[in-house]
Amino acid sequence: MGSAAASAVLTRDAGSQQLADTAALTGVKVMVIDDSNTIRRSAEIFLLQAGCTVILADDGFDALAKIADHQPDLIFVDIMMPRLDGYQTCALIKKNAKFHQTPVVMLSSKDGLFDRARGRMVGSDQYLTKPFTKDSLLRAVATHVKTVV
């Protein structure tokens, strides 16, 4: 760790901590799967500002075709999508031995206990309610990147 990064980590004020967190995300490959262009673009902007590499997919089929090529460190997947929903997409990702350990965060406007439980049953690592904030999105990345990087 460079001296500037070490200083940022050691300093307790919010600005320096945010700098340290953002620096830790540089180069992390994150896939965002959502049929909403607005959600995809918002997530992309937040993640790019944090230094992440972003791969976008507009549905589960598109994502499955891109995962092998890009090998993301973390995947955000919307639950409600046409053709292949988020639960099915997550289950297929987790069944693949190569991507079984890749963290998957479910995105949904639903916040019910049943939805969260169903996400866990298919192997998701976290559940993030939409609309998400920049902070909640980056916190989710930071939480799961620690186990990946």
Side-chain angles (χ1 to χ4, degrees):
M1 180 182 305
S3 61
S7 298
V9 171
L10 294 174
T11 306
R12 293 204 175 261
D13 69 66
S16 293
Q17 186 59 47
Q18 187 174 18
L19 173 66
D21 292 344
T22 300
L25 300 181
T26 300
V28 173
K29 285 193 274 184
V30 180
M31 176 175 271
V32 179
I33 311 165
D34 200 303
D35 59 327
S36 164
N37 188 50
T38 303
I39 296 294
R40 280 195 318 271
R41 300 306 284 172
S42 297
E44 180 182 34
I45 290 166
F46 296 157
L47 293 165
L48 287 173
Q49 288 173 346
C52 296
T53 300
V54 182
I55 305 110
L56 300 175
D58 54 17
D59 64 33
F61 285 113
D62 185 27
L64 294 173
K66 292 178 178 179
I67 287 173
D69 290 339
H70 296 283
Q71 300 183 11
D73 299 313
L74 173 70
I75 301 169
F76 287 98
V77 60
D78 180 28
I79 290 176
M80 302 299 291
M81 294 185 295
R83 301 194 310 156
L84 194 64
D85 72 21
Y87 297 120
Q88 295 165 319
T89 303
C90 180
L92 289 169
I93 292 166
K94 292 296 187 168
K95 283 182 183 175
N96 184 317
K98 188 172 184 178
F99 301 106
H100 178 74
Q101 296 298 320
T102 303
V104 175
V105 177
M106 305 299 284
L107 295 173
S108 180
S109 54
K110 297 180 179 181
D111 195 22
L113 183 61
F114 174 77
D115 300 302
R116 289 176 179 271
R118 188 168 175 207
R120 287 285 184 196
M121 287 172 45
V122 296
S124 74
D125 298 274
Q126 187 178 343
Y127 193 99
L128 191 61
T129 305
K130 296 191 287 187
F132 50 80
T133 63
K134 178 179 180 178
D135 288 342
S136 65
L137 188 73
L138 297 181
R139 236 186 340 267
V141 176
T143 297
H144 296 290
V145 165
K146 291 175 186 172
T147 61
V148 175
V149 174

